[in-house]
């Protein structure tokens, strides 16, 4: 029936993280955030619409919902964090790139369990797929600076030279 949700493609994740399902959650969250930014539709309405009509791939449902609700809930904090590194007003940023930046900034400041490199890589892939031709360069520069500010320990630990415990 056309009004029934596409539940067969949605999965609740167990303790194990499925990278494909998480990637799809980000993809659909990006599309939902774009719709929220452009149309101003309520988040609950957008979530319901996506769950019923748009989602056609396996995704991490909990992560999709967290992103779709978390970005609007923390929008002022996210926008403030981004504004430090944008070099231009928010209204001058391509709407897709703005949605990607908001999603990734949310993850960088609210999800320390997700490696910053994964967040940035996923954001760049989304920008390359949906954004402007050179948009990924702008997004990369902004997210790199946000990560350096908010993930200092993680970044510093990643740069330590390998130490052999037997030496």
């Amino acid at each position: 029936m056309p009004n029934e949700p596409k539940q067969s493609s949605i999965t609740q994740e167990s303790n194990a993280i499925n990278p494909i399902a998480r990637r799809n959650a980000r993809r659909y969250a990006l599309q939902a955030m774009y719709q929220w930014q452009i149309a101003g539709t309520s988040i609950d309405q957008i979530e319901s619409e996506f769950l019923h009509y748009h989602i056609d791939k396996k995704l991490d449902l909990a992560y999709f919902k967290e992103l779709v609700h978390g970005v609007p809930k923390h929008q002022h904090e996210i926008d403030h964090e981004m504004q430090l590194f944008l070099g231009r007003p928010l209204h001058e940023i391509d709407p897709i790139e703005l949605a990607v930046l908001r999603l990734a900034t949310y993850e960088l400041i609210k999800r320390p369990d997700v490696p910053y490199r994964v967040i940035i890589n996923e954001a760049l892939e989304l920008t390359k797929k949906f954004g402007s031709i050179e948009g990924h360069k702008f997004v990369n520069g902004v997210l790199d600076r946000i990560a350096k500010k908010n993930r200092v320990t993680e970044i510093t630990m990643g740069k330590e030279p390998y130490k052999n415990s037997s030496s």
Side-chain angles (χ1 to χ4, degrees), residues 83-99:
Q83 198 67 55
L84 300 170
F85 307 108
L86 291 176
R88 59 183 134 167
L90 289 174
H91 71 273
E92 291 182 9
I93 298 174
D94 175 85
I96 290 290
E97 291 156 21
L98 179 59

Side-chain angles (χ1 to χ4, degrees), residues 104 107-108 111-122 143-144 146-148 150-156 158-159:
E107 288 186 279
L108 286 168
R111 293 299 305 253
D113 59 308
V114 180
Y116 78 96
R117 287 183 176 153
V118 170
I119 295 167
I120 292 174
N121 183 58
E122 293 289 325
L143 293 179
D144 185 56
I146 292 171
K148 285 177 181 171
N150 290 279
R151 300 287 188 102
V152 175
T153 304
E154 181 183 355
I155 292 169
T156 305
K159 290 184 178 178

Side-chain angles (χ1 to χ4, degrees), residues 2-94:
N3 289 338
E4 291 184 18
K6 298 179 177 185
Q7 292 295 331
S8 61
S9 61
I10 299 172
T11 62
Q12 290 281 31
E13 290 298 312
S14 62
N15 291 335
I17 295 172
N18 179 330
I20 302 297
R22 184 71 59 96
R23 176 174 290 134
N24 289 335
R26 286 184 182 99
R27 175 182 164 217
Y28 288 117
L30 169 63
Q31 293 169 343
M33 289 298 92
Y34 178 81
Q35 182 176 337
W36 172 70
Q37 290 173 171
I38 298 298
T41 310
S42 80
I43 292 301
D44 290 333
Q45 184 178 348
I46 291 171
E47 177 187 355
S48 176
E49 181 181 319
F50 269 77
L51 293 176
H52 281 79
Y53 304 110
H54 297 298
I55 295 174
D56 61 0
K57 295 183 179 185
K58 183 178 180 182
L59 84 151
D60 182 335
L61 180 60
Y63 208 70
F64 168 78
K65 287 183 175 187
E66 178 185 344
L67 293 173
V68 168
H69 289 276
V71 170
K73 180 179 178 181
H74 299 282
Q75 179 189 354
H76 295 295
E77 178 184 1
I78 291 166
D79 287 355
H80 175 74
E81 192 68 33
M82 292 183 332
Q83 198 67 55
L84 300 170
F85 307 108
L86 291 176
R88 59 183 134 167
L90 289 174
H91 71 273
E92 291 182 9
I93 298 174
D94 175 85

